[in-house]
C-alpha cells in the first residue's frame, strides 16, 4: 500500500529509532517506561500491559494480533504471560528483527510470527484472530478508520480488541490546539472522535479508562532517564539532537500542565 510522503518520513525515522534502540543507553531510557526489559516506543507501562492481559482475557488458546508492534512491546509480553500465539505486524522491519530475536531468546519463537505490513490493508483473508491490541498506534497513522475496519474484518465475532491512543483534548482554542499538536505523535488529529469511529467501523465500546495521568508520569520518568543518560545520549545522537530533545520535553510538560493532551485505553468488541 502506497504511503504518503509524511508517512514514509515517519517510517524512515522509526527504522532509525529502532536501530538506535539496540543501544544499552536507549534501552535504559525506554525501560523506565515499560519497566520490564522490553524495547518500547509507546508509553505503555507494565501495569497497562497487565490491564491489556486482563481486558483481553488471553490464554494459550488465543491468537493475538498486535498491530504497530514495533520491537515487540507489549505483544511479546502478552504472549509470554498468557501462553497465546501472537502475530506482530508493523511497517519498519528493524523493530520486527529485534522482536524476533527476543522471541528466540525467550524460547517462544514457535508462538510468534512477525510480519512487515500495513494495518490499513491486513494480509489475512478470513477472520483469524481472537484478540487484537495496539499501543499508541492510531495516533501514528492517517487512515484510522481503515485500520479499525481491517481489525474488525480479521477478528472472530466473539473476539476483543484493546488499545491505547493519544489524542488532543476537545474544545481547545486554536492556539492551544497548535501547542498540543506540536508535542504529539505525527498523526494525532482526528476528523471525528473515537466513539464515532467505532460506530462507523463495526465496533462497540465495552470499557474505557482515561490514562492521561499515567502518561504524564511516564513522560516525567523518561525525561529524568534522559538526563541521567546525558553522556551516552550525546555520544549517540550528537549535541544538537540532545538539546532539541530537552526543549521538546519542556514543551510537552507545559502542554500537560495546561491539560492539552489525553491518553485513553479502549476495549471494544465486534457488533
Ligand atoms: C508508538 S509506536 C508503538 C510501537 C510498539 N508497539 C511499542 O509499544 O513500543 C507506533 C507504531 O505504529 C506503527 N505504524 C504506524 N502506521 C502503521 C501502519 N499503517 N501499519 C502498521 N503499523 C503502523 C509504527 O511503525 C510504530 O512502530
Amino acid at each position: 500500500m502506497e504511503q504518503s510522503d509524511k508517512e514514509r518520513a515517519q517510517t524512515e525515522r522509526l527504522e532509525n529509532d529502532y536501530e538506535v534502540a539496540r543501544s544499552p543507553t536507549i534501552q535504559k531510557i525506554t525501560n523506565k517506561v515499560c519497566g520490564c526489559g522490553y524495547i518500547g516506543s509507546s508509553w505503555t507501562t507494565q501495569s497497562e500491559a497487565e490491564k491489556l492481559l486482563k481486558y483481553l482475557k488471553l490464554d494459550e488458546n488465543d491468537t493475538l494480533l498486535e498491530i504497530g508492534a514495533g520491537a515487540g512491546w507489549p505483544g511479546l509480553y502478552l504472549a509470554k504471560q498468557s501462553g497465546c500465539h501472537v502475530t506482530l505486524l508493523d511497517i519498519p522491519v528493524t523493530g520486527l528483527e529485534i522482536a524476533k530475536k527476543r522471541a528466540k531468546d525467550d524460547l517462544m519463537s514457535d508462538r510468534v510470527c512477525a510480519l512487515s505490513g500495513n494495518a490499513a490493508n491486513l494480509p489475512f483473508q478470513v477472520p483469524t484472530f481472537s484478540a487484537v491490541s495496539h499501543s499508541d498506534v492510531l495516533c501514528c497513522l492517517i487512515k484510522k478508520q481503515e485500520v479499525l475496519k481491517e481489525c474488525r474484518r480479521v477478528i472472530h465475532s466473539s473476539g476483543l480488541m484493546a488499545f491505547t491512543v493519544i489524542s488532543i483534548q476537545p474544545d481547545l482554542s486554536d492556539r492551544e490546539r497548535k501547542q498540543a499538536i506540536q508535542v504529539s505523535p505525527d498523526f494525532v488529529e482526528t476528523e471525528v472522535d473515537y466513539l464515532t469511529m467505532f460506530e462507523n467501523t463495526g465496533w462497540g465500546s465495552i470499557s474505557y479508562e482515561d490514562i492521561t495521568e499515567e502518561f504524564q508520569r511516564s513522560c516525567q520518568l523518561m525525561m529524568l532517564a534522559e538526563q541521567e543518560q546525558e553522556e551516552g545520549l550525546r555520544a549517540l545522537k550528537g549535541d544538537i539532537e540532545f538539546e532539541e530533545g530537552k526543549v521538546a520535553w519542556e514543551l510537552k510538560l507545559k502542554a500537560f500542565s495546561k491539560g492539552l493532551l489525553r491518553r485513553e485505553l479502549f476495549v471494544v468488541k465486534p457488533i
Side-chain angles (χ1 to χ4, degrees):
M1 177 174 268
E2 271 287 295
Q3 287 185 299
S4 68
D5 288 350
K6 240 184 133 182
E7 287 170 312
R8 238 189 329 271
Q10 177 183 255
T11 300
E12 275 167 26
R13 180 174 52 74
L14 284 166
E15 288 281 11
N16 182 56
D17 285 355
Y18 289 125
E19 192 55 57
V20 173
R22 295 182 201 263
S23 113
T25 300
I26 302 293
Q27 288 187 22
K28 277 183 205 146
I29 295 167
T30 55
N31 200 39
K32 285 278 179 187
V33 175
C34 107
C36 55
Y38 287 82
I39 296 176
S41 62
S42 67
W43 298 98
T44 303
T45 61
Q46 187 174 9
S47 82
E48 285 167 11
E50 295 296 335
K51 282 184 194 174
L52 295 176
L53 267 177
K54 187 190 80 183
Y55 282 129
L56 291 173
K57 304 184 183 101
L58 293 172
D59 66 30
E60 63 280 2
N61 298 313
D62 281 303
T63 47
L64 169 69
L65 170 66
E66 165 101 346
I67 62 164
W73 172 253
L76 285 178
Y77 178 80
L78 299 180
K80 189 172 185 179
Q81 298 301 106
S82 66
C84 77
H85 283 73
V86 65
T87 297
L88 306 170
L89 182 131
D90 205 326
I91 300 173
V93 289
T94 317
L96 295 172
E97 290 303 325
I98 296 171
K100 277 197 266 186
K101 179 169 182 314
R102 175 70 191 246
K104 196 168 167 218
D105 291 348
D106 286 354
L107 306 176
M108 50 188 278
S109 298
D110 56 333
R111 291 192 282 120
V112 177
C113 167
L115 282 181
S116 177
N118 195 321
N121 185 20
L122 288 170
F124 314 105
Q125 298 310 315
V126 289
T128 309
F129 301 98
S130 58
V132 177
S133 67
H134 36 110
S135 295
D136 306 336
V137 174
L138 291 179
C139 40
C140 291
L141 54 83
I142 298 171
K143 297 186 174 128
K144 301 179 200 321
Q145 300 209 47
E146 283 86 338
V147 169
L148 287 170
K149 268 188 208 154
E150 280 294 88
C151 293
R152 173 68 187 83
R153 183 178 66 75
V154 303
I155 197 168
H156 298 157
S157 55
S158 58
L160 290 171
M161 177 164 80
F163 70 93
T164 56
V165 69
I166 296 166
S167 61
I168 292 170
Q169 291 285 10
D171 306 324
L172 298 182
S173 68
D174 284 352
R175 191 158 168 270
E176 288 171 328
R177 206 175 157 72
K178 258 194 197 152
Q179 265 179 286
I181 291 169
Q182 196 186 4
V183 299
S184 294
D186 287 344
F187 306 113
V188 69
E189 288 180 280
T190 63
E191 282 172 13
V192 291
D193 62 29
Y194 279 97
L195 291 181
T196 308
M197 282 192 234
F198 298 154
E199 272 174 32
N200 294 344
T201 56
W203 293 101
S205 174
I206 54 173
S207 188
Y208 168 83
E209 284 187 44
D210 185 325
I211 49 171
T212 307
E213 273 181 27
E214 204 163 354
F215 178 31
Q216 181 168 4
R217 261 197 311 278
S218 294
C219 285
Q220 283 160 343
L221 274 180
M222 205 151 161
M223 192 181 72
L224 290 175
E226 287 202 2
Q227 282 167 9
E228 281 166 22
Q229 300 298 323
E230 176 169 349
E231 206 182 316
L233 263 189
R234 282 187 188 274
L236 203 62
K237 298 189 164 184
D239 290 334
I240 294 176
E241 206 175 309
F242 178 81
E243 294 300 335
E244 283 171 356
K246 262 172 58 179
V247 174
W249 280 121
E250 278 156 25
L251 289 174
K252 201 166 198 130
L253 291 187
K254 220 179 256 174
F256 275 121
S257 67
K258 290 183 174 173
L260 308 183
L261 301 178
R262 184 162 70 174
R263 185 162 176 264
E264 295 161 297
L265 192 163
F266 290 102
V267 185
V268 294
K269 65 174 187 183
I271 46 170

